[in-house]
Amino acid sequence: MPKQNLQARGPVDGFLEGHAGLRIDGARLLDRLEELAKIGADPAGGITRLGLSAQENAAMAYLRDLCAEAGLATETDPAGNLLVHRPRTRREAAPVLLVGSHVDTVVQGGRLDGAYGVIAALEVLQVLHENDVDLPVEMVAVAFANEEGALIQTPFWGSRALCGSLEDGLAAEDRAGRPVSAYLAQAGGSPERLADAAWSPGAIAAYLELHIEQGPSLERLGVPIGVVDGIVGRTILDIDVVGEAQHAGTTPMADRRDAMVAAAEIILAVQRIATEDAVCATATTGYLEAHPNVTNTITGTVRLTVEVRDTDPAKLVRGEAAVRSECARVSAASGCAVEARASMRSRSVSTAPPLRDAVRGAADTLGLPHLTMPSGAGHDAQIVALVAPIGMIFVPSKRGISHAPGEDTAPADLVHGANVLLHSVLGAQTAAAERV
């Protein structure tokens, strides 16, 4: 991409006016998304690139190579996060504008969730570098490790480590009991220095994240840009149901303590909590593991997960309480022991009004209609909100599909979103400078 010979000088208004013509390289953005999608491509469909796995490591290596070619500097922190900045920028010197997302997926996930935000952040940083744009508050791009928590059972691993909120991090493990330390060293992290991944208070002036909507609203309304005003809170409960394994042919129905039947009742109750009872926005049973899992044996134990979400903290609390109440009811009725443990809680958060204004201003500069809306999915942004103001940008998702092979967004919308991110970085300078 040739230099556009734009200089950053003077008040913010003049700064923005002087850079109004700046654009990302759309073809480069789309090509890199396609290349990244090849890493972890699943023969069964979609992409399986689990956090801290060999596939995520390969994706991080691909990003490092892109940055080296672009003349950008990279580092991998002790938690496995990839940080990218311009060569002249010293991250430790001053608070920075942090921009990014994650590159890991769920099992058979889509090619854009998280990855789009990372590739777009690198594209924005490269355009700023190519055009010698002098930002009052420098930008650092980040690819957070293990946002999904699909392999190592600690969602938002990388952002929590960077923000100093990763408690008992080395206790994390996969479902087979393999510790995170075994994965972290292979990812270029340092288990023995995990605490050093936390940035000092005030080091982040602000954070911006570009993401696909993962829902149908923008596409249905024909609006290309979403200005996120809040992010849903989430509670994950790990539930163990313990009955008694017995012969399926010789044990009378009245004498059974069938863990599978008890688990099924819990699953149906979880559905009712968010539909008929409307206690919370959503409630989902997404994981189920039965033992001994044999056709002619009554199930002895079942492990499942229940996830409750809402933007209202009070409804989130009531949703969790309702699930626990149903577990107690099913236990009493079935004779099975039921234990529910909260393995993760993330609070709902609001985005910062000045950053929302920066996103709206960027969309207006580019002539793109926009809609203010909440996020029903969790994001690294809500973790960073613990330590800094945040802003988020959405682009449409085709048919609202995400976390599945059918996840997709029109190329034009992907380019629009990255250009809005670029101009949001420029427009956020006032809000970010107030934190410096």
Side-chain angles (χ1 to χ4, degrees), residues 66-322:
L66 289 183
C67 294
E69 293 172 3
L72 301 173
T74 64
E75 62 177 282
T76 299
D77 75 7
N81 298 315
L82 178 65
L83 303 165
V84 186
H85 54 87
R86 291 194 273 183
R88 70 171 185 265
T89 304
R90 290 184 62 251
R91 175 172 66 78
E92 298 83 358
V96 301
L97 177 60
L98 193 64
V99 183
S101 193
H102 62 97
V103 295
D104 64 310
T105 72
V106 297
V107 176
Q108 288 187 265
R111 70 185 183 93
L112 297 173
D113 176 7
Y116 169 53
V118 172
I119 292 295
L122 296 181
E123 173 63 26
V124 167
L125 190 59
Q126 184 169 348
V127 169
L128 296 173
H129 180 55
E130 289 170 338
N131 289 278
D132 295 327
V133 178
D134 185 14
L135 294 176
V137 179
E138 277 292 351
M139 172 186 164
V140 171
V142 61
F144 287 116
N146 190 35
E147 188 264 4
E148 300 287 1
L151 175 63
I152 302 300
Q153 304 297 295
T154 307
F156 306 120
W157 162 273
S159 52
R160 288 166 66 181
L162 187 143
C163 295
S165 62
L166 184 63
E167 299 177 1
D168 298 323
L170 293 180
E173 58 187 24
D174 65 17
R175 292 195 185 277
R178 188 183 185 205
V180 67
S181 57
Y183 292 95
L184 194 55
Q186 296 173 351
S190 302
E192 68 279 2
R193 296 196 307 101
L194 184 58
D196 294 342
W199 287 21
S200 59
I204 304 171
Y207 174 73
L208 285 171
E209 183 168 355
L210 171 63
H211 211 280
I212 57 171
E213 180 196 346
Q214 300 180 277
S217 298
L218 291 174
E219 183 184 53
R220 285 177 179 172
L221 295 171
V223 178
I225 297 297
V227 182
V228 178
D229 59 2
I231 304 172
V232 72
R234 177 167 64 144
T235 298
I236 299 176
L237 296 172
D238 291 337
I239 300 174
D240 289 326
V241 182
V242 181
E244 185 177 21
Q246 289 276 25
H247 195 288
T250 61
T251 307
M253 298 300 290
D255 294 340
R256 299 181 177 204
R257 290 193 297 126
D258 190 329
M260 185 70 83
V261 172
E265 291 189 24
I266 292 171
I267 292 168
L268 292 174
V270 167
Q271 175 80 358
R272 289 194 300 272
I273 286 168
T275 53
E276 297 171 23
D277 300 340
V279 176
C280 52
T282 62
T284 307
T285 303
Y287 174 82
L288 187 72
E289 176 187 331
H291 183 80
N293 208 26
V294 175
T295 301
N296 60 350
T297 302
I298 298 165
T299 301
T301 61
V302 173
R303 172 166 290 182
L304 56 104
T305 62
V306 171
E307 182 189 81
V308 177
R309 299 191 188 213
D310 207 290
T311 54
D312 183 337
K315 289 185 176 181
L316 199 61
V317 171
R318 290 198 291 270
E320 178 182 347

